[in-house]
Amino acid sequence: MVRTRFAPSPTGYLHIGGARTALFSWAYARRHNGKFILRIEDTDQERSTQQSTQAILDGMAWLQLDYDEGPFYQMQRLQRYHEVAEQLLRNNQAYYCYATKEELDEMRERQLAAGQKPRYDGRWRDSKQSPPAGVKPVIRFKNPSDGYVTFNDQIKGRITVANHELDDLVLLRSDGIPTYNFSVVLDDLDMNITHVIRGDDHVNNTPRQINILKVLNAPLPEYAHVPMILGSNGERLSKRHGAVSVMQYQEDGYLPEAVLNYLARLGWSHGNEEIFSREELIEWFDLSSISHSPAKFNPEKLHWINQQYLKKTDNTRLAELVVPFLNKDNCQVSGGPNLTRVIDLLKERVNTIEELADAAVYFYRPLEPTDELKAQYFNTETKSLLTVLLGHLDNIEWTRESINKEIKAAAKSLDVKLPKIAMPLRVMVTGEAHTPSIDAVLELLGRKETLSRINTCLAKLPD
């Protein structure tokens, strides 16, 4: 059975890169009717926080990346890491290293000065020295000194690394906490992980991890290292170019299914398909379709995909999502027009829930036009023109068709072009110059509110 995992460190939020790794691991497991495991790698005690753990769980839940087992926490498995470290010591496959930080720093500086690659020199590997007093040792792995490590990466192809390029990595620190490369090996082994799908910043760790698995006579998982995500500027993804918490996209008004769709297309493709359901993603997903090159984060593309999802999302659901944004903008939804009808009128014109709420504000509270709009659309004729229009609107049946008919009739009776009346009317009622068709807006706003806003504005205009 295929078993994949997502193993984030709780030292920050769940960002776009991590979410995509989780998605690819989840999709591969679902595609093959396997299991998806969530593991929290919390051995960095200085930086790991419960708040970050919760942010990861919240992000996974929002994207609906459901896991079959977990979350498992490494700090709850310390006994297991110690047992295996002791086993490796007994088998002469690991050893105590008493080198101090000062000695290691000096060694590194000497190697750099000689133009060498910094690496541990193995000084305690087969040492017969007596342990120095007062120094707590680390436990290092005896990496093979000759031969090669070869593995077939499912994305990058065949990779070979000479063992002499690898130094003896630390398994357990002096405080008894395991290093990443040790704990991840045992976790994947104990959890029967068959496919390790992760970012390609871990490629260099893989030969080290394979060597540990070999001395444990453990089966090797398949490895798939996904190329990184770059910002739209072609450089490493930064906050300015999209490297923010996944939950920030919720706060900014994106739909989770749209973000999921966009993440899937960041480095993976199925023909020319751009919009697809979760079910289609599961049916189509395969590691062979992941690009070998870094993906570029494109906010405009995310906007476009979100807009496509907004257009086909049920208005009742959108209304539930819009209400918190409107409440934050001091709008009383309960006292205004039917929100689902407002959404139906506006959703073709926006990219996000937040934009949808912004576009709906004038339906729930009057907006004062800017001085620029007043200067552009209000003049000495405006009051007389709109007073005539008021007479036309006063007692009609309040439907879009009737409103449209009377606006045109007023313009004709005054012998002016339609925009001469429609634009000042739009600005008076909505405070905006760009809205859907004004007759549709007025119909939803209602007779009482429309006439009240026109009269309030006319009272401020000079005769």
Side-chain angles (χ1 to χ4, degrees), residues 20 23-24 226 261-276 280-281 283-293 295 301:
R20 186 189 64 167
L23 171 60
F24 284 2
V226 183
N261 190 147
Y262 179 70
L263 286 176
R265 284 292 284 114
L266 270 180
W268 173 85
S269 62
H270 180 78
N272 294 318
E273 300 289 342
E274 292 287 355
I275 307 294
F276 40 81
E280 287 171 326
L281 171 61
E283 180 185 346
W284 298 337
F285 189 81
D286 205 88
L287 298 175
S288 62
S289 297
I290 294 176
S291 171
H292 294 203
S293 304
K301 183 70 171 288

Side-chain angles (χ1 to χ4, degrees), residues 341 345 363 386 388-412 418 421-422 425-426 429 436-451 454:
R341 291 186 62 196
L345 180 65
F363 282 101
L386 269 293
V388 171
L389 176 63
L390 271 177
H392 281 261
L393 296 177
D394 205 16
N395 293 305
I396 64 167
E397 181 185 3
W398 203 258
T399 64
R400 180 174 181 177
E401 294 74 15
S402 297
I403 294 167
N404 179 278
K405 179 181 176 183
E406 293 305 323
I407 293 174
K408 289 179 178 177
K412 185 175 182 180
L418 190 62
I421 288 181
L425 171 63
R426 174 178 277 114
V429 173
S437 180
I438 191 59
D439 49 12
V441 170
L442 299 190
E443 180 187 41
L444 281 178
L445 195 58
R447 182 200 311 272
K448 182 179 178 182
E449 183 64 20
T450 297
L451 299 185
I454 294 173

Side-chain angles (χ1 to χ4, degrees), residues 240-283:
R240 184 178 176 187
H241 294 97
V244 296
S245 167
V246 163
M247 299 309 291
Q248 183 65 49
Y249 290 97
Q250 180 191 38
E251 293 173 21
D252 290 345
Y254 290 88
L255 294 170
E257 56 267 39
V259 174
L260 199 76
N261 190 147
Y262 179 70
L263 286 176
R265 284 292 284 114
L266 270 180
W268 173 85
S269 62
H270 180 78
N272 294 318
E273 300 289 342
E274 292 287 355
I275 307 294
F276 40 81
S277 66
R278 291 166 66 90
E279 292 70 29
E280 287 171 326
L281 171 61
I282 291 169
E283 180 185 346

